[in-house]
């Protein structure tokens, strides 16, 4: 390569670098708000993760990066008496609660979306009205019913069984999505000999997967993070505690061991974070498409 060619190549390389730097700065300027919001939400999780793997002496000091990685903290928390029981109880509560909510809410939402009957709008307004009623308002009579009449205090069944009788928010969310599905599909299925129940199973449910996934995730997250319900009904029986309530007890017992407290918090949060990571596409699609038609 001649000297002239080398000399002419240098300005081109410099110009290309300047152009790349300019495009990068423009991208940062456009996405600065999104980057700031992402850091705002991510940094607390990073802090919990790093603190969970620190030594007890380093936790909550100015040194935010672990001097040595103590993965045994997670094992110590997992082997804490009662923690595995809390984990199993929470999984049972979340899985059964989600399944019962879907089984009971889908037919109600389908009826409100597709069937024409007298008083349908009134029923819908009553469903929406129950969403505005905080659970604390009815907790006293509900506790007396479950504890004094059915003798189920100290268990999670007073929280699981009511989900078999639909959830107002789930019904509303599913009903709004089902309204976006053209009625022609159901009419064509009925022409082929399908009844309403068969059309629901074979036509509506496959098309409503995004909304069902969104409702399932909402309900699963609610059950997994529920603290108020287990505190009311299961506090007297440690064998029925969930992770959210047991974590408070763990924190009280290890209030000076912040590395173990953060490790326990990490183990509580990890399942829902992983679940949302794998199901976020269906979740976002279901939430986005819901409410298009009223």
């Amino acid at each position: 390569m001649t000297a002239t060619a080398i000399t002419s190549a240098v300005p081109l390389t410099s110009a290309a670098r300047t152009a790349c730097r300019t495009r990068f700065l423009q991208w940062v300027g456009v996405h600065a708000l999104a980057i700031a919001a992402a850091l705002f939400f991510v940094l607390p999780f990073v802090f919990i993760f790093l603190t969970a793997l620190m030594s007890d002496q380093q936790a909550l000091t100015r040194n935010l990066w672990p001097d040595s990685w103590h993965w045994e903290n997670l094992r110590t928390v997992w082997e804490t008496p009662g923690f595995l029981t809390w984990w199993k109880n929470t999984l049972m509560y979340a899985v059964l609660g989600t399944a019962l909510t879907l089984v009971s809410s889908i037919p109600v939402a389908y009826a409100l979306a597709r069937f024409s009957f007298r008083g349908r709008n009134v029923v819908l307004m009553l469903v929406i009205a129950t969403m505005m009623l905080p659970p604390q308002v009815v907790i006293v009579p509900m506790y007396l019913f479950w504890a004094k009449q059915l003798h189920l205090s100290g268990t999670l069944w007073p929280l699981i069984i009511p989900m078999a009788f639909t959830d107002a928010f789930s019904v509303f969310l599913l009903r709004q999505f089902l309204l976006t599905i053209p009625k022609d599909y159901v009419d064509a299925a009925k022409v082929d000999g399908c009844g309403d129940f068969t059309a629901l199973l074979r036509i509506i449910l496959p098309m409503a997967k995004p909304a069902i996934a969104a409702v399932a995730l909402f309900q699963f997250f609610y059950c997994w993070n529920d603290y108020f319900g287990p505190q009311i009904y299961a506090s007297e029986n440690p064998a029925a505690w969930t992770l959210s309530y047991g974590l408070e007890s763990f924190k009280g017992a290890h209030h000076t061991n912040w590395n173990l407290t953060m490790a326990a918090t990490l183990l509580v949060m990890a399942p829902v974070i992983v679940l949302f990571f794998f199901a976020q596409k269906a979740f976002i699609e279901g939430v986005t498409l819901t409410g298009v038609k009223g």
Side-chain angles (χ1 to χ4, degrees), residues 33 75 100 106 114 130 137 142 151 222 288:
L33 184 60
R75 185 179 62 186
L100 290 175
I106 290 175
R114 292 304 179 193
T130 58
V137 174
M142 292 299 297
H151 305 287
Y222 167 78
T288 303

PDB file of all heavy atoms in Angstrom, residues 33 75 100 106 114 130 137 142 151 222 288:
ATOM      1  N   LEU A  33     -34.135   8.241  29.187  1.00  0.00           N
ATOM      2  CA  LEU A  33     -35.201   8.053  30.165  1.00  0.00           C
ATOM      3  C   LEU A  33     -35.485   6.577  30.399  1.00  0.00           C
ATOM      4  O   LEU A  33     -35.660   6.143  31.549  1.00  0.00           O
ATOM      5  CB  LEU A  33     -36.474   8.770  29.703  1.00  0.00           C
ATOM      6  CG  LEU A  33     -37.662   8.749  30.676  1.00  0.00           C
ATOM      7  CD1 LEU A  33     -37.276   9.414  31.995  1.00  0.00           C
ATOM      8  CD2 LEU A  33     -38.877   9.442  30.069  1.00  0.00           C
ATOM      9  N   ARG A  75     -27.702 -22.025  50.595  1.00  0.00           N
ATOM     10  CA  ARG A  75     -27.937 -23.354  51.161  1.00  0.00           C
ATOM     11  C   ARG A  75     -28.324 -23.261  52.632  1.00  0.00           C
ATOM     12  O   ARG A  75     -29.183 -24.019  53.113  1.00  0.00           O
ATOM     13  CB  ARG A  75     -26.691 -24.208  50.993  1.00  0.00           C
ATOM     14  CG  ARG A  75     -26.863 -25.661  51.452  1.00  0.00           C
ATOM     15  CD  ARG A  75     -25.606 -26.451  51.235  1.00  0.00           C
ATOM     16  NE  ARG A  75     -24.501 -25.906  52.014  1.00  0.00           N
ATOM     17  CZ  ARG A  75     -23.239 -26.332  51.926  1.00  0.00           C
ATOM     18  NH1 ARG A  75     -22.932 -27.302  51.064  1.00  0.00           N
ATOM     19  NH2 ARG A  75     -22.296 -25.788  52.653  1.00  0.00           N
ATOM     20  N   LEU A 100     -57.962 -22.914  40.141  1.00  0.00           N
ATOM     21  CA  LEU A 100     -59.369 -22.731  40.493  1.00  0.00           C
ATOM     22  C   LEU A 100     -59.912 -21.414  39.943  1.00  0.00           C
ATOM     23  O   LEU A 100     -61.071 -21.345  39.498  1.00  0.00           O
ATOM     24  CB  LEU A 100     -59.535 -22.771  42.017  1.00  0.00           C
ATOM     25  CG  LEU A 100     -59.326 -24.133  42.679  1.00  0.00           C
ATOM     26  CD1 LEU A 100     -59.399 -24.013  44.193  1.00  0.00           C
ATOM     27  CD2 LEU A 100     -60.345 -25.146  42.177  1.00  0.00           C
ATOM     28  N   ILE A 106     -63.382 -18.449  33.644  1.00  0.00           N
ATOM     29  CA  ILE A 106     -63.539 -18.501  32.185  1.00  0.00           C
ATOM     30  C   ILE A 106     -65.001 -18.683  31.779  1.00  0.00           C
ATOM     31  O   ILE A 106     -65.492 -17.952  30.901  1.00  0.00           O
ATOM     32  CB  ILE A 106     -62.644 -19.611  31.596  1.00  0.00           C
ATOM     33  CG1 ILE A 106     -61.171 -19.205  31.717  1.00  0.00           C
ATOM     34  CG2 ILE A 106     -63.003 -19.887  30.140  1.00  0.00           C
ATOM     35  CD1 ILE A 106     -60.195 -20.279  31.269  1.00  0.00           C
ATOM     36  N   ARG A 114     -70.766 -13.335  25.666  1.00  0.00           N
ATOM     37  CA  ARG A 114     -71.430 -13.888  24.491  1.00  0.00           C
ATOM     38  C   ARG A 114     -72.938 -14.105  24.644  1.00  0.00           C
ATOM     39  O   ARG A 114     -73.661 -14.080  23.666  1.00  0.00           O
ATOM     40  CB  ARG A 114     -70.775 -15.226  24.115  1.00  0.00           C
ATOM     41  CG  ARG A 114     -69.358 -15.090  23.603  1.00  0.00           C
ATOM     42  CD  ARG A 114     -69.293 -14.164  22.416  1.00  0.00           C
ATOM     43  NE  ARG A 114     -67.939 -13.979  21.908  1.00  0.00           N
ATOM     44  CZ  ARG A 114     -67.604 -13.030  21.053  1.00  0.00           C
ATOM     45  NH1 ARG A 114     -68.513 -12.179  20.628  1.00  0.00           N
ATOM     46  NH2 ARG A 114     -66.355 -12.922  20.636  1.00  0.00           N
ATOM     47  N   THR A 130     -67.514  -5.339  43.027  1.00  0.00           N
ATOM     48  CA  THR A 130     -66.795  -6.142  44.013  1.00  0.00           C
ATOM     49  C   THR A 130     -65.292  -5.913  43.946  1.00  0.00           C
ATOM     50  O   THR A 130     -64.580  -6.152  44.933  1.00  0.00           O
ATOM     51  CB  THR A 130     -67.088  -7.631  43.807  1.00  0.00           C
ATOM     52  OG1 THR A 130     -66.703  -8.019  42.478  1.00  0.00           O
ATOM     53  CG2 THR A 130     -68.558  -7.928  44.002  1.00  0.00           C
ATOM     54  N   VAL A 137     -62.564  -5.083  54.585  1.00  0.00           N
ATOM     55  CA  VAL A 137     -63.921  -4.714  54.992  1.00  0.00           C
ATOM     56  C   VAL A 137     -64.703  -5.938  55.459  1.00  0.00           C
ATOM     57  O   VAL A 137     -65.500  -5.861  56.403  1.00  0.00           O
ATOM     58  CB  VAL A 137     -64.648  -4.005  53.828  1.00  0.00           C
ATOM     59  CG1 VAL A 137     -66.105  -3.739  54.177  1.00  0.00           C
ATOM     60  CG2 VAL A 137     -63.947  -2.697  53.483  1.00  0.00           C
ATOM     61  N   MET A 142     -65.832 -13.050  57.469  1.00  0.00           N
ATOM     62  CA  MET A 142     -65.253 -14.181  56.754  1.00  0.00           C
ATOM     63  C   MET A 142     -64.415 -15.040  57.689  1.00  0.00           C
ATOM     64  O   MET A 142     -64.467 -16.274  57.628  1.00  0.00           O
ATOM     65  CB  MET A 142     -64.397 -13.685  55.585  1.00  0.00           C
ATOM     66  CG  MET A 142     -65.196 -13.039  54.468  1.00  0.00           C
ATOM     67  SD  MET A 142     -66.379 -14.191  53.714  1.00  0.00           S
ATOM     68  CE  MET A 142     -65.299 -15.428  53.036  1.00  0.00           C
ATOM     69  N   HIS A 151     -64.183 -24.473  61.028  1.00  0.00           N
ATOM     70  CA  HIS A 151     -63.006 -24.889  61.804  1.00  0.00           C
ATOM     71  C   HIS A 151     -61.787 -25.119  60.891  1.00  0.00           C
ATOM     72  O   HIS A 151     -61.090 -26.129  61.006  1.00  0.00           O
ATOM     73  CB  HIS A 151     -63.303 -26.167  62.599  1.00  0.00           C
ATOM     74  CG  HIS A 151     -64.510 -26.051  63.483  1.00  0.00           C
ATOM     75  ND1 HIS A 151     -64.520 -25.306  64.655  1.00  0.00           N
ATOM     76  CD2 HIS A 151     -65.768 -26.570  63.361  1.00  0.00           C
ATOM     77  CE1 HIS A 151     -65.704 -25.374  65.218  1.00  0.00           C
ATOM     78  NE2 HIS A 151     -66.486 -26.134  64.459  1.00  0.00           N
ATOM     79  N   TYR A 222     -50.220 -12.882  42.737  1.00  0.00           N
ATOM     80  CA  TYR A 222     -50.985 -12.461  43.913  1.00  0.00           C
ATOM     81  C   TYR A 222     -50.887 -13.499  45.029  1.00  0.00           C
ATOM     82  O   TYR A 222     -50.625 -13.150  46.192  1.00  0.00           O
ATOM     83  CB  TYR A 222     -52.443 -12.231  43.532  1.00  0.00           C
ATOM     84  CG  TYR A 222     -53.363 -12.100  44.728  1.00  0.00           C
ATOM     85  CD1 TYR A 222     -53.422 -10.917  45.453  1.00  0.00           C
ATOM     86  CD2 TYR A 222     -54.155 -13.172  45.151  1.00  0.00           C
ATOM     87  CE1 TYR A 222     -54.249 -10.797  46.565  1.00  0.00           C
ATOM     88  CE2 TYR A 222     -54.976 -13.060  46.255  1.00  0.00           C
ATOM     89  CZ  TYR A 222     -55.019 -11.869  46.953  1.00  0.00           C
ATOM     90  OH  TYR A 222     -55.831 -11.761  48.056  1.00  0.00           O
ATOM     91  N   THR A 288     -52.196  -6.177  26.611  1.00  0.00           N
ATOM     92  CA  THR A 288     -52.337  -5.176  25.550  1.00  0.00           C
ATOM     93  C   THR A 288     -53.661  -5.340  24.801  1.00  0.00           C
ATOM     94  O   THR A 288     -54.337  -4.351  24.493  1.00  0.00           O
ATOM     95  CB  THR A 288     -51.171  -5.281  24.564  1.00  0.00           C
ATOM     96  OG1 THR A 288     -49.936  -5.125  25.272  1.00  0.00           O
ATOM     97  CG2 THR A 288     -51.264  -4.217  23.498  1.00  0.00           C
TER      98      THR A 288
END
